[in-house]
């Protein structure tokens, strides 16, 4: 039986061999960590079912996480209602569509300030280090009230905590303890103080760390893949420079198109007999919903393996679905649109530069993306 997660390969698009596998079978039998049997769920409708039907439980899976961390260090990703509901509700108000739009002006200012610094640098510039990574971390940091000067430290801890085999267990434990200690010292300040009525101190600490990782690492990793794609698709890049009004549509297609999950979704345990993809499944069956596969489902997306800026409908699952849909999705959309729009406007002649250190794709990490992205600005 096939081992999962699959070996990661360079590139933005879903690996063709994996795409073909997912087309052949809506339920793919695999073995995950601990040699445990599971089924990968690949169809769009079936992935939505797993992510929204309470019969599929994350909390009842006790075989380890797709992250390097233990379940008790994840406030939302490994819990079900009512625990998940209470925790998510405590932070939801800061991440609504209205809040994201209200925050747009200062998010745009962050982007411009970072690009001012990028423009002043000589020679090839690493866009990940100078722009694509700091922008999301600065945004989530300001929402949570952390000093801008702490971004590099938060990035360093997060890079270890998002490991899926890249770092040793003791490194992950140390980084997790350090980040939790950082937020424990800030429990009575700003955003964290507003959570006290709903969450315990330990829950606040874990939630804060999770928001940094989701708001910082997830957005930065996806953004690096998006810009990599733009650098290698001259027609798309020229179109967006000439028609910046198409950037929102491009962002939605990138959310569908980019192969993002390094490990697939969180394992779910079926609590009662049910049917999925027309197959009867018994209680206790472990399934893993693959949003990347669902985003290439030909039953939902015409020309699913083509990047189409003119896609008339795009019900992608780039932010997940249902009760576990990304809580920060509205802010992520603003950041993606802002980051791409400002970059193309400021540097219309942007083009890739050779990387002397070789391919920079993130491997053995929970999320895919790039560690480095060297470019020539002009």
């Amino acid at each position: 039986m096939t081992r999962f997660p699959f070996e990661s390969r360079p590139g933005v698009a879903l690996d063709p061999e994996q795409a073909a596998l997912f087309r052949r079978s809506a339920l793919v039998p695999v073995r995950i960590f601990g040699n445990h049997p599971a089924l990968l769920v690949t169809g769009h409708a079936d992935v939505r079912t797993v992510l929204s039907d309470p019969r599929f439980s994350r909390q009842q899976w006790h075989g380890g996480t797709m992250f390097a961390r233990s379940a008790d260090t994840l406030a939302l990703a490994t819990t079900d209602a009512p625990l998940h509901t209470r925790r998510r509700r405590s932070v939801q108000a800061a991440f609504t569509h209205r809040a994201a739009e209200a925050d747009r002006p200062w998010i745009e200012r962050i982007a411009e300030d970072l690009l001012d610094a990028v423009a002043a640098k000589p020679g090839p510039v690493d866009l990940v280090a100078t722009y694509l990574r700091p922008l999301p971390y600065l945004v989530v940091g300001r929402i949570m009230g952390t000093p801008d000067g702490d971004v590099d430290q938060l990035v360093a801890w997060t890079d270890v905590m998002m490991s899926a085999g890249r770092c040793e267990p003791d490194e992950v434990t140390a980084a997790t303890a350090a980040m939790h200690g950082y937020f424990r010292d800030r429990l009575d300040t700003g955003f964290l103080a507003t959570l006290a009525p709903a969450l315990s101190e330990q829950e606040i600490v874990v939630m804060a760390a999770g928001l940094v990782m989701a708001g910082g690492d997830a957005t930065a990793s996806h953004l690096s893949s998006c810009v990599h794609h733009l650098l290698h698709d001259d027609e798309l890049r020229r179109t967006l420079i000439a028609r910046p009004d198409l950037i929102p549509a491009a962002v939605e297609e990138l959310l569908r198109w980019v192969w993002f999950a390094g490990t697939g979704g969180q394992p779910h345990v079926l609590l009662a007999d049910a049917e999925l993809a027309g197959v009867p499944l018994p209680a206790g069956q472990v399934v893993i919903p693959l949003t990347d596969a669902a985003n290439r489902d030909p039953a939902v997306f015409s020309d699913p393996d083509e990047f189409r800026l003119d896609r008339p409908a795009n019900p992608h699952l780039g932010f997940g679905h249902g009760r576990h849909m990304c809580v920060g999705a509205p802010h992520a959309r603003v950041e993606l649109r802002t980051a791409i729009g400002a970059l193309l406007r400021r540097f219309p002649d942007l083009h890739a530069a050779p990387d002397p250190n070789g391919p920079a794709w993130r491997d053995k990490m929970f999320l895919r993306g790039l560690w480095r992205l060297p470019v020539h600005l002009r």
Side-chain angles (χ1 to χ4, degrees):
M1 191 179 295
T2 305
R3 301 290 304 181
F4 185 81
F6 300 132
E7 182 180 350
S8 181
R9 302 179 185 180
V12 171
L14 185 64
D15 179 80
E17 292 181 10
Q18 295 181 21
L21 172 65
F22 300 152
R23 300 276 167 77
R24 288 196 301 269
S25 180
L27 300 175
V28 179
V30 294
R31 288 196 176 273
I32 57 177
F33 31 72
N35 207 35
H36 199 290
L39 293 174
L40 303 183
V41 183
T42 66
H44 191 276
D46 299 318
V47 168
R48 284 169 56 98
T49 295
V50 173
L51 294 176
S52 59
D53 190 324
R55 291 177 298 175
F56 293 90
S57 167
R58 294 187 177 193
Q59 201 163 312
Q60 292 305 310
W61 167 252
H62 304 297
T65 71
M66 291 293 190
F67 296 84
R69 305 188 310 285
S70 59
D72 61 354
T73 66
L74 297 164
L76 298 178
T78 60
T79 57
D80 300 329
L83 178 60
H84 175 272
T85 307
R86 175 174 61 82
R87 289 177 174 176
R88 184 181 176 107
R89 187 180 294 131
S90 71
V91 299
Q92 186 71 67
F95 297 99
T96 62
H97 291 279
R98 178 177 296 181
E101 286 304 315
D103 292 343
R104 182 188 294 274
W106 61 259
I107 293 173
E108 293 175 344
R109 185 68 261 162
I110 289 175
E112 296 296 338
D113 289 346
L114 289 171
L115 290 176
D116 286 344
V118 167
K121 293 184 178 296
V125 177
D126 178 6
L127 274 186
V128 170
T130 59
Y131 182 58
L132 305 176
R133 184 164 55 196
L135 191 154
Y137 277 92
L138 286 168
V139 171
V140 71
R142 290 191 186 180
I143 291 173
M144 297 177 63
T146 61
D148 289 355
D150 290 351
V151 161
D152 288 345
Q153 181 60 79
L154 293 171
V155 168
W157 287 329
T158 301
D159 283 347
V160 177
M161 295 169 70
M162 294 295 280
S163 163
R166 175 174 174 267
C167 300
E168 295 297 325
D170 59 340
E171 295 179 274
V172 177
T173 299
T176 303
M179 187 182 282
H180 286 183
Y182 174 89
F183 283 114
R184 191 167 284 109
D185 291 340
R186 290 163 173 77
L187 286 171
D188 59 351
T189 62
F191 174 76
L192 299 189
T194 69
L195 304 181
L199 303 179
S200 69
E201 289 189 358
Q202 181 61 19
E203 284 179 311
I204 295 173
V205 166
V206 172
M207 179 69 75
L211 290 174
V212 167
M213 286 181 282
D217 185 73
T219 307
S221 298
H222 185 74
L223 188 52
S224 69
S225 292
C226 292
V227 174
H228 180 277
H229 183 68
L230 290 172
L231 289 172
H232 293 83
D233 188 332
D234 294 339
E235 182 179 355
L236 174 62
R237 189 172 66 257
R238 287 193 294 266
T239 297
L240 296 182
I241 290 170
R243 293 280 310 277
D245 59 299
L246 294 177
I247 287 176
V251 165
E252 296 307 308
E253 181 68 344
L254 286 163
L255 285 164
R256 184 194 74 86
W257 170 259
V258 168
W259 178 19
F260 189 45
T263 61
Q266 179 67 14
H268 292 65
V269 178
L270 188 53
L271 301 180
D273 293 353
E275 185 176 285
L276 200 61
V279 177
L281 298 178
Q285 175 67 57
V286 177
V287 299
I288 302 176
L290 299 187
T291 55
D292 286 323
N295 283 340
R296 301 301 181 93
D297 188 340
V300 177
F301 303 99
S302 59
D303 303 316
D305 296 325
E306 300 296 326
F307 185 97
R308 287 186 50 184
L309 191 57
D310 63 345
R311 195 169 292 282
N314 199 344
H316 65 76
L317 303 180
F319 289 121
H321 176 71
R323 60 193 181 278
H324 286 285
M325 185 173 179
C326 174
V327 70
H331 277 84
R333 278 193 167 93
V334 170
E335 292 170 54
L336 292 168
R337 294 173 184 177
T338 297
I340 292 170
L343 182 67
L344 295 180
R345 175 175 49 79
R346 293 282 296 268
F347 304 112
D349 297 323
L350 185 77
H351 56 284
D355 190 339
N357 297 311
W361 290 95
R362 289 159 54 110
D363 188 27
K364 296 182 179 179
M365 295 289 289
F366 184 70
L367 299 174
R368 301 183 74 254
L370 291 134
W371 292 116
R372 304 177 305 277
L373 188 56
V375 299
H376 293 295
L377 301 176
R378 300 174 182 85

